[in-house]
mmCIF file of all heavy atoms in Angstrom:
data_model
loop_
_atom_site.group_PDB
_atom_site.id
_atom_site.type_symbol
_atom_site.label_atom_id
_atom_site.label_comp_id
_atom_site.label_asym_id
_atom_site.label_seq_id
_atom_site.Cartn_x
_atom_site.Cartn_y
_atom_site.Cartn_z
ATOM 1 N N SER M 26 12.701 18.538 21.224
ATOM 2 C CA SER M 26 13.235 19.703 21.941
ATOM 3 C C SER M 26 13.948 19.313 23.235
ATOM 4 O O SER M 26 14.634 20.139 23.834
ATOM 5 C CB SER M 26 12.110 20.704 22.243
ATOM 6 O OG SER M 26 11.101 20.103 23.033
ATOM 7 N N GLN M 27 13.776 18.068 23.657
ATOM 8 C CA GLN M 27 14.524 17.525 24.785
ATOM 9 C C GLN M 27 14.646 16.017 24.589
ATOM 10 O O GLN M 27 13.951 15.445 23.730
ATOM 11 C CB GLN M 27 13.842 17.843 26.116
ATOM 12 C CG GLN M 27 12.489 17.179 26.296
ATOM 13 C CD GLN M 27 11.793 17.618 27.569
ATOM 14 O OE1 GLN M 27 11.283 18.740 27.676
ATOM 15 N NE2 GLN M 27 11.773 16.719 28.546
ATOM 16 N N GLY M 28 15.496 15.379 25.340
ATOM 17 C CA GLY M 28 15.680 13.950 25.189
ATOM 18 C C GLY M 28 14.404 13.169 25.462
ATOM 19 O O GLY M 28 13.671 13.475 26.397
ATOM 20 N N ILE M 29 14.133 12.159 24.623
ATOM 21 C CA ILE M 29 12.898 11.382 24.769
ATOM 22 C C ILE M 29 13.177 9.881 24.906
ATOM 23 O O ILE M 29 12.279 9.061 24.794
ATOM 24 C CB ILE M 29 11.908 11.634 23.607
ATOM 25 C CG1 ILE M 29 12.559 11.342 22.255
ATOM 26 C CG2 ILE M 29 11.378 13.068 23.664
ATOM 27 C CD1 ILE M 29 11.560 11.385 21.087
ATOM 28 N N SER M 30 14.431 9.531 25.122
ATOM 29 C CA SER M 30 14.788 8.138 25.460
ATOM 30 C C SER M 30 14.182 7.111 24.510
ATOM 31 O O SER M 30 13.636 6.087 24.946
ATOM 32 C CB SER M 30 14.353 7.831 26.901
ATOM 33 O OG SER M 30 15.013 8.664 27.813
ATOM 34 N N ASN M 31 14.255 7.376 23.234
ATOM 35 C CA ASN M 31 13.767 6.457 22.191
ATOM 36 C C ASN M 31 12.244 6.243 22.236
ATOM 37 O O ASN M 31 11.750 5.296 21.606
ATOM 38 C CB ASN M 31 14.472 5.104 22.270
ATOM 39 C CG ASN M 31 15.916 5.185 21.823
ATOM 40 O OD1 ASN M 31 16.424 6.259 21.532
ATOM 41 N ND2 ASN M 31 16.564 4.043 21.755
ATOM 42 N N SER M 32 11.533 7.096 22.943
ATOM 43 C CA SER M 32 10.064 6.979 23.018
ATOM 44 C C SER M 32 9.448 7.676 21.808
ATOM 45 O O SER M 32 8.812 8.735 21.908
ATOM 46 C CB SER M 32 9.544 7.582 24.320
ATOM 47 O OG SER M 32 10.054 6.884 25.428
ATOM 48 N N LEU M 33 9.674 7.092 20.656
ATOM 49 C CA LEU M 33 9.277 7.701 19.390
ATOM 50 C C LEU M 33 8.609 6.675 18.501
ATOM 51 O O LEU M 33 9.103 5.556 18.350
ATOM 52 C CB LEU M 33 10.500 8.270 18.669
ATOM 53 C CG LEU M 33 10.104 9.045 17.405
ATOM 54 C CD1 LEU M 33 9.885 10.511 17.745
ATOM 55 C CD2 LEU M 33 11.124 8.901 16.306
ATOM 56 N N ALA M 34 7.503 7.094 17.904
ATOM 57 C CA ALA M 34 6.778 6.270 16.944
ATOM 58 C C ALA M 34 6.728 6.992 15.601
ATOM 59 O O ALA M 34 6.771 8.218 15.536
ATOM 60 C CB ALA M 34 5.358 5.990 17.446
ATOM 61 N N TRP M 35 6.653 6.185 14.563
ATOM 62 C CA TRP M 35 6.466 6.709 13.207
ATOM 63 C C TRP M 35 5.164 6.156 12.646
ATOM 64 O O TRP M 35 4.877 4.959 12.780
ATOM 65 C CB TRP M 35 7.620 6.290 12.298
ATOM 66 C CG TRP M 35 8.927 6.971 12.583
ATOM 67 C CD1 TRP M 35 9.969 6.483 13.319
ATOM 68 C CD2 TRP M 35 9.341 8.261 12.108
ATOM 69 N NE1 TRP M 35 11.006 7.392 13.346
ATOM 70 C CE2 TRP M 35 10.655 8.492 12.603
ATOM 71 C CE3 TRP M 35 8.754 9.254 11.319
ATOM 72 C CZ2 TRP M 35 11.360 9.659 12.338
ATOM 73 C CZ3 TRP M 35 9.467 10.410 11.056
ATOM 74 C CH2 TRP M 35 10.756 10.603 11.558
ATOM 75 N N TYR M 36 4.391 7.036 11.978
ATOM 76 C CA TYR M 36 3.130 6.655 11.364
ATOM 77 C C TYR M 36 3.139 7.015 9.893
ATOM 78 O O TYR M 36 3.735 8.015 9.486
ATOM 79 C CB TYR M 36 1.963 7.386 12.032
ATOM 80 C CG TYR M 36 1.776 7.071 13.495
ATOM 81 C CD1 TYR M 36 2.395 7.836 14.477
ATOM 82 C CD2 TYR M 36 0.970 6.018 13.911
ATOM 83 C CE1 TYR M 36 2.239 7.548 15.815
ATOM 84 C CE2 TYR M 36 0.801 5.728 15.256
ATOM 85 C CZ TYR M 36 1.438 6.500 16.190
ATOM 86 O OH TYR M 36 1.266 6.210 17.523
ATOM 87 N N GLN M 37 2.415 6.225 9.122
ATOM 88 C CA GLN M 37 2.137 6.514 7.720
ATOM 89 C C GLN M 37 0.658 6.844 7.598
ATOM 90 O O GLN M 37 -0.185 6.156 8.191
ATOM 91 C CB GLN M 37 2.454 5.284 6.859
ATOM 92 C CG GLN M 37 2.150 5.441 5.389
ATOM 93 C CD GLN M 37 2.191 4.090 4.678
ATOM 94 O OE1 GLN M 37 1.371 3.203 4.923
ATOM 95 N NE2 GLN M 37 3.157 3.929 3.789
ATOM 96 N N GLN M 38 0.344 7.880 6.827
ATOM 97 C CA GLN M 38 -1.062 8.200 6.595
ATOM 98 C C GLN M 38 -1.291 8.450 5.121
ATOM 99 O O GLN M 38 -0.601 9.247 4.496
ATOM 100 C CB GLN M 38 -1.505 9.421 7.407
ATOM 101 C CG GLN M 38 -3.014 9.661 7.327
ATOM 102 C CD GLN M 38 -3.475 10.858 8.125
ATOM 103 O OE1 GLN M 38 -2.782 11.867 8.231
ATOM 104 N NE2 GLN M 38 -4.675 10.754 8.711
ATOM 105 N N LYS M 39 -2.286 7.760 4.592
ATOM 106 C CA LYS M 39 -2.702 7.964 3.215
ATOM 107 C C LYS M 39 -3.972 8.797 3.204
ATOM 108 O O LYS M 39 -4.729 8.782 4.190
ATOM 109 C CB LYS M 39 -2.885 6.619 2.518
ATOM 110 C CG LYS M 39 -1.569 5.858 2.419
ATOM 111 C CD LYS M 39 -1.706 4.537 1.704
ATOM 112 C CE LYS M 39 -0.351 3.855 1.614
ATOM 113 N NZ LYS M 39 -0.420 2.543 0.930
ATOM 114 N N PRO M 40 -4.241 9.511 2.107
ATOM 115 C CA PRO M 40 -5.407 10.405 2.067
ATOM 116 C C PRO M 40 -6.706 9.698 2.435
ATOM 117 O O PRO M 40 -7.009 8.616 1.919
ATOM 118 C CB PRO M 40 -5.408 10.884 0.613
ATOM 119 C CG PRO M 40 -3.987 10.822 0.194
ATOM 120 C CD PRO M 40 -3.430 9.595 0.874
ATOM 121 N N GLY M 41 -7.445 10.309 3.358
ATOM 122 C CA GLY M 41 -8.728 9.765 3.759
ATOM 123 C C GLY M 41 -8.669 8.572 4.686
ATOM 124 O O GLY M 41 -9.708 7.971 5.001
ATOM 125 N N LYS M 42 -7.468 8.233 5.154
ATOM 126 C CA LYS M 42 -7.308 7.061 6.018
ATOM 127 C C LYS M 42 -6.734 7.455 7.375
ATOM 128 O O LYS M 42 -6.125 8.505 7.524
ATOM 129 C CB LYS M 42 -6.358 6.043 5.354
ATOM 130 C CG LYS M 42 -6.844 5.510 4.025
ATOM 131 C CD LYS M 42 -8.094 4.670 4.185
ATOM 132 C CE LYS M 42 -8.482 3.990 2.885
ATOM 133 N NZ LYS M 42 -9.722 3.170 3.038
ATOM 134 N N ALA M 43 -6.930 6.580 8.344
ATOM 135 C CA ALA M 43 -6.345 6.784 9.666
ATOM 136 C C ALA M 43 -4.839 6.561 9.619
ATOM 137 O O ALA M 43 -4.338 5.854 8.735
ATOM 138 C CB ALA M 43 -6.984 5.830 10.669
ATOM 139 N N PRO M 44 -4.108 7.148 10.547
ATOM 140 C CA PRO M 44 -2.664 6.859 10.616
ATOM 141 C C PRO M 44 -2.419 5.378 10.866
ATOM 142 O O PRO M 44 -3.211 4.715 11.533
ATOM 143 C CB PRO M 44 -2.193 7.692 11.819
ATOM 144 C CG PRO M 44 -3.266 8.657 12.097
ATOM 145 C CD PRO M 44 -4.545 8.063 11.605
ATOM 146 N N ASN M 45 -1.301 4.896 10.331
ATOM 147 C CA ASN M 45 -0.921 3.497 10.492
ATOM 148 C C ASN M 45 0.446 3.423 11.155
ATOM 149 O O ASN M 45 1.417 3.980 10.639
ATOM 150 C CB ASN M 45 -0.890 2.815 9.126
ATOM 151 C CG ASN M 45 -0.526 1.349 9.211
ATOM 152 O OD1 ASN M 45 -1.053 0.620 10.046
ATOM 153 N ND2 ASN M 45 0.389 0.914 8.365
ATOM 154 N N LEU M 46 0.522 2.733 12.296
ATOM 155 C CA LEU M 46 1.784 2.631 13.037
ATOM 156 C C LEU M 46 2.802 1.822 12.246
ATOM 157 O O LEU M 46 2.525 0.686 11.837
ATOM 158 C CB LEU M 46 1.523 1.969 14.393
ATOM 159 C CG LEU M 46 2.734 1.700 15.282
ATOM 160 C CD1 LEU M 46 3.365 3.024 15.739
ATOM 161 C CD2 LEU M 46 2.338 0.862 16.496
ATOM 162 N N LEU M 47 3.990 2.399 12.042
ATOM 163 C CA LEU M 47 5.071 1.713 11.332
ATOM 164 C C LEU M 47 6.138 1.201 12.300
ATOM 165 O O LEU M 47 6.551 0.036 12.221
ATOM 166 C CB LEU M 47 5.742 2.667 10.348
ATOM 167 C CG LEU M 47 4.912 3.234 9.220
ATOM 168 C CD1 LEU M 47 5.750 4.230 8.423
ATOM 169 C CD2 LEU M 47 4.386 2.120 8.316
ATOM 170 N N LEU M 48 6.613 2.078 13.157
ATOM 171 C CA LEU M 48 7.679 1.738 14.086
ATOM 172 C C LEU M 48 7.391 2.370 15.437
ATOM 173 O O LEU M 48 6.727 3.408 15.527
ATOM 174 C CB LEU M 48 9.045 2.247 13.603
ATOM 175 C CG LEU M 48 9.576 1.664 12.305
ATOM 176 C CD1 LEU M 48 9.513 2.687 11.195
ATOM 177 C CD2 LEU M 48 11.014 1.191 12.472
ATOM 178 N N TYR M 49 7.935 1.744 16.491
ATOM 179 C CA TYR M 49 7.841 2.277 17.839
ATOM 180 C C TYR M 49 9.190 2.058 18.521
ATOM 181 O O TYR M 49 10.047 1.337 17.991
ATOM 182 C CB TYR M 49 6.700 1.628 18.620
ATOM 183 C CG TYR M 49 6.833 0.124 18.748
ATOM 184 C CD1 TYR M 49 7.450 -0.441 19.861
ATOM 185 C CD2 TYR M 49 6.341 -0.723 17.761
ATOM 186 C CE1 TYR M 49 7.586 -1.808 19.987
ATOM 187 C CE2 TYR M 49 6.472 -2.090 17.872
ATOM 188 C CZ TYR M 49 7.091 -2.628 18.979
ATOM 189 O OH TYR M 49 7.229 -3.987 19.090
ATOM 190 N N ALA M 50 9.347 2.697 19.666
ATOM 191 C CA ALA M 50 10.640 2.652 20.364
ATOM 192 C C ALA M 50 11.777 3.000 19.402
ATOM 193 O O ALA M 50 12.852 2.401 19.457
ATOM 194 C CB ALA M 50 10.857 1.287 21.017
ATOM 195 N N ALA M 51 11.509 3.932 18.539
ATOM 196 C CA ALA M 51 12.455 4.486 17.570
ATOM 197 C C ALA M 51 12.855 3.547 16.447
ATOM 198 O O ALA M 51 13.038 3.976 15.312
ATOM 199 C CB ALA M 51 13.707 5.014 18.272
ATOM 200 N N SER M 52 13.001 2.257 16.743
ATOM 201 C CA SER M 52 13.559 1.361 15.731
ATOM 202 C C SER M 52 12.859 0.013 15.622
ATOM 203 O O SER M 52 13.272 -0.821 14.812
ATOM 204 C CB SER M 52 15.042 1.116 16.023
ATOM 205 O OG SER M 52 15.193 0.491 17.279
ATOM 206 N N ARG M 53 11.828 -0.226 16.409
ATOM 207 C CA ARG M 53 11.153 -1.525 16.375
ATOM 208 C C ARG M 53 10.006 -1.506 15.371
ATOM 209 O O ARG M 53 9.110 -0.657 15.449
ATOM 210 C CB ARG M 53 10.641 -1.890 17.759
ATOM 211 C CG ARG M 53 11.751 -2.077 18.774
ATOM 212 C CD ARG M 53 11.241 -2.593 20.074
ATOM 213 N NE ARG M 53 12.325 -2.763 21.041
ATOM 214 C CZ ARG M 53 12.166 -3.267 22.241
ATOM 215 N NH1 ARG M 53 10.968 -3.659 22.644
ATOM 216 N NH2 ARG M 53 13.196 -3.383 23.052
ATOM 217 N N LEU M 54 10.049 -2.462 14.478
ATOM 218 C CA LEU M 54 9.070 -2.540 13.404
ATOM 219 C C LEU M 54 7.760 -3.148 13.921
ATOM 220 O O LEU M 54 7.770 -4.216 14.540
ATOM 221 C CB LEU M 54 9.638 -3.405 12.282
ATOM 222 C CG LEU M 54 9.178 -3.166 10.853
ATOM 223 C CD1 LEU M 54 9.498 -1.760 10.396
ATOM 224 C CD2 LEU M 54 9.824 -4.188 9.927
ATOM 225 N N GLU M 55 6.662 -2.455 13.657
ATOM 226 C CA GLU M 55 5.354 -3.008 14.010
ATOM 227 C C GLU M 55 5.083 -4.253 13.164
ATOM 228 O O GLU M 55 5.502 -4.340 11.993
ATOM 229 C CB GLU M 55 4.264 -1.956 13.778
ATOM 230 C CG GLU M 55 2.834 -2.420 13.946
ATOM 231 C CD GLU M 55 2.444 -2.720 15.389
ATOM 232 O OE1 GLU M 55 3.322 -2.780 16.272
ATOM 233 O OE2 GLU M 55 1.235 -2.891 15.631
ATOM 234 N N SER M 56 4.386 -5.206 13.739
ATOM 235 C CA SER M 56 4.067 -6.441 13.044
ATOM 236 C C SER M 56 3.357 -6.156 11.719
ATOM 237 O O SER M 56 2.424 -5.343 11.652
ATOM 238 C CB SER M 56 3.167 -7.303 13.930
ATOM 239 O OG SER M 56 2.770 -8.464 13.250
ATOM 240 N N GLY M 57 3.833 -6.803 10.673
ATOM 241 C CA GLY M 57 3.199 -6.658 9.369
ATOM 242 C C GLY M 57 3.762 -5.539 8.505
ATOM 243 O O GLY M 57 3.402 -5.426 7.330
ATOM 244 N N VAL M 58 4.643 -4.728 9.068
ATOM 245 C CA VAL M 58 5.224 -3.614 8.303
ATOM 246 C C VAL M 58 6.444 -4.129 7.536
ATOM 247 O O VAL M 58 7.296 -4.818 8.114
ATOM 248 C CB VAL M 58 5.621 -2.463 9.238
ATOM 249 C CG1 VAL M 58 6.356 -1.367 8.484
ATOM 250 C CG2 VAL M 58 4.365 -1.895 9.925
ATOM 251 N N PRO M 59 6.555 -3.800 6.265
ATOM 252 C CA PRO M 59 7.679 -4.302 5.464
ATOM 253 C C PRO M 59 9.035 -3.868 6.017
ATOM 254 O O PRO M 59 9.184 -2.770 6.566
ATOM 255 C CB PRO M 59 7.430 -3.687 4.086
ATOM 256 C CG PRO M 59 5.975 -3.393 4.051
ATOM 257 C CD PRO M 59 5.597 -3.029 5.448
ATOM 258 N N SER M 60 10.020 -4.713 5.819
ATOM 259 C CA SER M 60 11.355 -4.470 6.384
ATOM 260 C C SER M 60 12.114 -3.342 5.673
ATOM 261 O O SER M 60 13.186 -2.941 6.122
ATOM 262 C CB SER M 60 12.182 -5.752 6.348
ATOM 263 O OG SER M 60 12.302 -6.206 5.020
ATOM 264 N N ARG M 61 11.564 -2.823 4.584
ATOM 265 C CA ARG M 61 12.222 -1.676 3.938
ATOM 266 C C ARG M 61 12.075 -0.397 4.791
ATOM 267 O O ARG M 61 12.754 0.589 4.538
ATOM 268 C CB ARG M 61 11.674 -1.435 2.531
ATOM 269 C CG ARG M 61 10.216 -1.078 2.462
ATOM 270 C CD ARG M 61 9.785 -0.888 0.992
ATOM 271 N NE ARG M 61 8.368 -0.578 0.866
ATOM 272 C CZ ARG M 61 7.425 -1.508 0.790
ATOM 273 N NH1 ARG M 61 7.745 -2.788 0.804
ATOM 274 N NH2 ARG M 61 6.150 -1.139 0.694
ATOM 275 N N PHE M 62 11.206 -0.436 5.777
ATOM 276 C CA PHE M 62 11.083 0.666 6.729
ATOM 277 C C PHE M 62 12.026 0.403 7.910
ATOM 278 O O PHE M 62 12.023 -0.696 8.476
ATOM 279 C CB PHE M 62 9.654 0.803 7.251
ATOM 280 C CG PHE M 62 8.665 1.255 6.220
ATOM 281 C CD1 PHE M 62 7.964 0.323 5.468
ATOM 282 C CD2 PHE M 62 8.428 2.605 5.997
ATOM 283 C CE1 PHE M 62 7.056 0.733 4.499
ATOM 284 C CE2 PHE M 62 7.514 3.021 5.041
ATOM 285 C CZ PHE M 62 6.833 2.085 4.289
ATOM 286 N N SER M 63 12.802 1.402 8.261
ATOM 287 C CA SER M 63 13.669 1.263 9.418
ATOM 288 C C SER M 63 13.804 2.596 10.140
ATOM 289 O O SER M 63 13.626 3.657 9.547
ATOM 290 C CB SER M 63 15.056 0.743 9.013
ATOM 291 O OG SER M 63 15.700 1.691 8.187
ATOM 292 N N GLY M 64 14.095 2.505 11.417
ATOM 293 C CA GLY M 64 14.239 3.705 12.217
ATOM 294 C C GLY M 64 15.496 3.645 13.058
ATOM 295 O O GLY M 64 15.981 2.554 13.404
ATOM 296 N N SER M 65 16.017 4.802 13.366
ATOM 297 C CA SER M 65 17.197 4.872 14.221
ATOM 298 C C SER M 65 17.197 6.190 14.972
ATOM 299 O O SER M 65 16.356 7.068 14.732
ATOM 300 C CB SER M 65 18.474 4.717 13.398
ATOM 301 O OG SER M 65 18.630 5.830 12.535
ATOM 302 N N GLY M 66 18.163 6.312 15.850
ATOM 303 C CA GLY M 66 18.319 7.558 16.584
ATOM 304 C C GLY M 66 18.425 7.347 18.070
ATOM 305 O O GLY M 66 18.288 6.230 18.577
#
Side-chain angles (χ1 to χ4, degrees):
Chain M
S26 59
Q27 65 185 74
I29 56 172
S30 298
N31 289 5
S32 298
L33 186 91
W35 289 98
Y36 298 91
Q37 178 193 66
Q38 188 180 35
K39 296 181 179 180
K42 299 294 187 181
N45 181 46
L46 177 66
L47 298 176
L48 296 108
Y49 59 93
S52 62
R53 296 187 180 184
L54 208 60
E55 173 70 349
S56 176
V58 174
S60 59
R61 63 181 178 273
F62 292 92
S63 64
S65 66

